[in-house]
Amino acid sequence: MSGPGDADDPAWAAAVVMDGRRVIGRCVLDGRASAPFVPGMLALRLGPLLEVLIRRLAPRPDVVLLDATGRDHPRRAGLALHFGATEDLPTVGVTHRPLLAEGAWPSDKPGATSPLTIGTDHVATWVRTKPGTRPLVVHAGWRTDPDTAVEVVTASLVDHRTPEPLRVAREAARRARAGQ
Protein backbone atom coordinates (compact mmCIF):
# COMPACT_ATOMS: atom_id res chain seq x y z
CA MET A 1 0.00 0.00 0.00
CA SER A 2 1.33 3.42 -0.85
CA GLY A 3 0.11 6.81 0.23
CA PRO A 4 0.26 10.32 -1.10
CA GLY A 5 3.65 11.22 -2.42
CA ASP A 6 5.48 10.10 -5.50
CA ALA A 7 9.13 9.56 -6.22
CA ASP A 8 10.69 12.78 -7.48
CA ASP A 9 8.28 15.00 -5.49
CA PRO A 10 9.93 18.26 -4.41
CA ALA A 11 11.32 18.10 -0.87
CA TRP A 12 12.92 20.54 1.54
CA ALA A 13 15.09 19.70 4.51
CA ALA A 14 16.80 21.79 7.13
CA ALA A 15 19.10 21.15 10.07
CA VAL A 16 20.63 23.32 12.73
CA VAL A 17 23.35 22.85 15.30
CA MET A 18 22.63 24.64 18.54
CA ASP A 19 24.70 25.61 21.55
CA GLY A 20 22.06 26.29 24.16
CA ARG A 21 19.63 28.72 22.52
CA ARG A 22 22.14 29.89 19.93
CA VAL A 23 22.23 28.49 16.37
CA ILE A 24 25.88 27.85 15.50
CA GLY A 25 25.33 25.90 12.28
CA ARG A 26 22.59 25.75 9.68
CA CYS A 27 21.97 23.99 6.38
CA VAL A 28 18.85 24.12 4.22
CA LEU A 29 18.41 22.06 1.05
CA ASP A 30 15.81 21.53 -1.57
CA GLY A 31 15.77 18.33 -3.52
CA ARG A 32 13.58 15.47 -4.63
CA ALA A 33 12.04 12.50 -2.86
CA SER A 34 13.95 9.35 -3.77
CA ALA A 35 10.97 7.02 -3.59
CA PRO A 36 7.18 7.13 -3.34
CA PHE A 37 5.64 7.32 0.11
CA VAL A 38 5.16 3.84 1.52
CA PRO A 39 4.23 3.52 5.20
CA GLY A 40 7.20 2.25 7.18
CA MET A 41 9.71 3.08 4.44
CA LEU A 42 10.44 6.77 5.05
CA ALA A 43 14.21 6.19 4.98
CA LEU A 44 13.98 5.23 1.30
CA ARG A 45 11.99 8.37 0.48
CA LEU A 46 13.95 10.99 2.43
CA GLY A 47 17.15 9.31 3.58
CA PRO A 48 19.32 10.38 0.62
CA LEU A 49 18.32 14.06 1.00
CA LEU A 50 18.98 13.91 4.76
CA GLU A 51 22.36 12.30 4.12
CA VAL A 52 23.44 15.21 1.92
CA LEU A 53 22.02 17.67 4.45
CA ILE A 54 23.90 16.30 7.46
CA ARG A 55 27.17 15.99 5.54
CA ARG A 56 26.99 19.69 4.60
CA LEU A 57 26.08 20.78 8.13
CA ALA A 58 28.91 22.35 10.11
CA PRO A 59 29.83 21.88 12.82
CA ARG A 60 28.92 18.18 12.98
CA PRO A 61 26.32 17.66 15.73
CA ASP A 62 26.89 15.45 18.77
CA VAL A 63 23.38 14.01 18.47
CA VAL A 64 20.69 14.40 15.81
CA LEU A 65 17.01 14.97 16.57
CA LEU A 66 14.71 13.78 13.79
CA ASP A 67 10.99 13.92 13.15
CA ALA A 68 10.94 10.13 12.92
CA THR A 69 10.50 6.88 14.80
CA GLY A 70 13.13 4.48 16.11
CA ARG A 71 12.03 1.05 17.30
CA ASP A 72 8.31 1.94 17.28
CA HIS A 73 8.15 0.61 13.74
CA PRO A 74 6.85 -2.54 11.99
CA ARG A 75 10.45 -3.69 11.46
CA ARG A 76 11.74 -2.11 14.72
CA ALA A 77 13.93 0.17 12.60
CA GLY A 78 12.45 3.56 11.73
CA LEU A 79 14.20 6.49 10.07
CA ALA A 80 15.83 7.69 13.31
CA LEU A 81 17.58 4.33 13.65
CA HIS A 82 18.48 3.97 9.94
CA PHE A 83 19.81 7.50 9.63
CA GLY A 84 21.99 7.22 12.71
CA ALA A 85 23.44 3.91 11.53
CA THR A 86 24.29 5.20 8.06
CA GLU A 87 25.84 8.42 9.38
CA ASP A 88 27.33 6.88 12.55
CA LEU A 89 25.71 9.57 14.69
CA PRO A 90 23.64 9.15 17.85
CA THR A 91 20.01 9.89 16.99
CA VAL A 92 16.74 10.57 18.77
CA GLY A 93 13.36 10.59 17.07
CA VAL A 94 10.51 12.88 18.13
CA THR A 95 6.94 12.40 16.91
CA HIS A 96 3.49 13.54 17.96
CA ARG A 97 1.95 10.08 18.02
CA PRO A 98 3.26 6.54 18.38
CA LEU A 99 3.29 4.43 15.25
CA LEU A 100 2.49 1.01 16.75
CA ALA A 101 3.39 1.24 20.43
CA GLU A 102 0.88 1.67 23.23
CA GLY A 103 1.04 3.15 26.69
CA ALA A 104 -0.77 5.49 29.05
CA TRP A 105 -0.02 9.20 28.93
CA PRO A 106 2.21 10.55 31.69
CA SER A 107 0.93 12.89 34.37
CA ASP A 108 0.29 16.52 33.37
CA LYS A 109 3.56 17.70 34.96
CA PRO A 110 6.36 18.90 32.63
CA GLY A 111 9.07 16.27 32.42
CA ALA A 112 6.71 13.41 33.32
CA THR A 113 7.27 10.26 31.27
CA SER A 114 5.64 6.93 30.65
CA PRO A 115 6.79 4.01 28.51
CA LEU A 116 5.38 3.03 25.15
CA THR A 117 5.64 -0.66 24.42
CA ILE A 118 5.09 -3.22 21.73
CA GLY A 119 4.41 -6.41 23.62
CA THR A 120 6.89 -6.31 26.46
CA ASP A 121 9.50 -4.22 24.59
CA HIS A 122 9.95 -0.58 25.66
CA VAL A 123 10.27 1.05 22.21
CA ALA A 124 9.55 4.75 22.93
CA THR A 125 8.54 7.11 25.72
CA TRP A 126 5.74 9.63 26.19
CA VAL A 127 7.25 12.89 27.45
CA ARG A 128 5.15 15.73 28.82
CA THR A 129 6.81 18.97 27.74
CA LYS A 130 4.11 21.45 28.80
CA PRO A 131 1.08 21.07 31.06
CA GLY A 132 -2.27 20.89 29.29
CA THR A 133 -0.77 19.79 25.96
CA ARG A 134 -0.41 16.42 24.30
CA PRO A 135 2.87 14.73 25.27
CA LEU A 136 5.52 14.02 22.65
CA VAL A 137 6.75 10.57 21.70
CA VAL A 138 10.52 10.27 22.15
CA HIS A 139 12.26 7.46 20.28
CA ALA A 140 15.73 6.15 21.04
CA GLY A 141 17.55 5.86 17.72
CA TRP A 142 21.11 4.88 16.92
CA ARG A 143 23.49 4.67 19.90
CA THR A 144 20.89 6.03 22.32
CA ASP A 145 18.65 4.33 24.86
CA PRO A 146 15.21 5.47 26.08
CA ASP A 147 16.58 7.34 29.12
CA THR A 148 19.24 9.15 27.10
CA ALA A 149 16.69 10.04 24.41
CA VAL A 150 14.42 11.61 27.03
CA GLU A 151 17.38 13.54 28.52
CA VAL A 152 18.36 14.91 25.10
CA VAL A 153 14.82 16.04 24.33
CA THR A 154 14.12 17.61 27.72
CA ALA A 155 17.48 19.43 27.62
CA SER A 156 16.57 20.93 24.24
CA LEU A 157 13.21 22.38 25.30
CA VAL A 158 13.01 26.15 25.53
CA ASP A 159 9.66 27.94 25.40
CA HIS A 160 7.75 25.58 23.14
CA ARG A 161 6.35 22.07 23.22
CA THR A 162 8.77 20.94 20.51
CA PRO A 163 12.55 20.68 21.09
CA GLU A 164 14.20 23.89 19.92
CA PRO A 165 16.50 22.38 17.26
CA LEU A 166 13.55 20.67 15.56
CA ARG A 167 11.38 23.77 15.80
CA VAL A 168 14.08 26.03 14.29
CA ALA A 169 14.87 23.51 11.52
CA ARG A 170 11.18 23.08 10.62
CA GLU A 171 10.79 26.84 10.42
CA ALA A 172 13.80 27.09 8.08
CA ALA A 173 12.45 24.30 5.84
CA ARG A 174 9.02 25.99 5.69
CA ARG A 175 10.64 29.29 4.68
CA ALA A 176 12.64 27.54 1.97
CA ARG A 177 9.50 25.84 0.67
CA ALA A 178 7.72 29.20 0.54
CA GLY A 179 10.68 30.63 -1.39
CA GLN A 180 11.66 33.15 1.28
Side-chain angles (χ1 to χ4, degrees):
M1 174 174 94
S2 64
D6 296 319
D8 208 38
D9 280 347
W12 294 264
V16 297
V17 178
M18 298 189 75
D19 182 9
R21 292 183 179 214
R22 194 168 57 101
V23 175
I24 60 171
R26 176 187 315 259
C27 185
V28 181
L29 290 179
D30 61 280
R32 298 282 174 182
S34 300
F37 175 78
V38 176
M41 305 295 275
L42 192 58
L44 294 177
R45 181 168 171 79
L46 298 177
L49 182 62
L50 296 177
E51 179 181 357
V52 172
L53 178 75
I54 202 72
R55 291 182 180 182
R56 290 185 183 175
L57 183 64
R60 189 160 171 91
D62 295 328
V63 64
V64 176
L65 293 172
L66 294 145
D67 187 358
T69 66
R71 288 178 176 80
D72 178 18
H73 183 274
R75 293 170 192 82
R76 298 295 192 278
L79 177 59
L81 195 76
H82 273 272
F83 183 75
T86 60
E87 295 306 309
D88 194 28
L89 278 168
T91 53
V92 174
V94 179
T95 60
H96 296 285
R97 290 177 176 73
L99 189 59
L100 301 172
E102 298 178 337
W105 280 14
S107 70
D108 201 31
K109 178 182 174 190
T113 64
S114 61
L116 283 156
T117 60
I118 298 176
T120 59
D121 296 333
H122 180 182
V123 297
T125 305
W126 283 117
V127 176
R128 181 77 65 184
T129 61
K130 291 180 96 70
T133 64
R134 181 182 184 89
L136 293 176
V137 180
V138 174
H139 305 264
W142 185 251
R143 295 192 327 195
T144 58
D145 58 48
D147 292 336
T148 302
V150 168
E151 285 178 33
V152 167
V153 167
T154 56
S156 66
L157 295 171
V158 178
D159 298 321
H160 303 277
R161 175 176 169 250
T162 302
E164 193 67 2
L166 279 178
R167 193 186 71 73
V168 172
R170 285 178 186 158
E171 185 178 292
R174 285 184 190 119
R175 280 195 313 271
R177 182 179 182 186
Q180 299 175 348

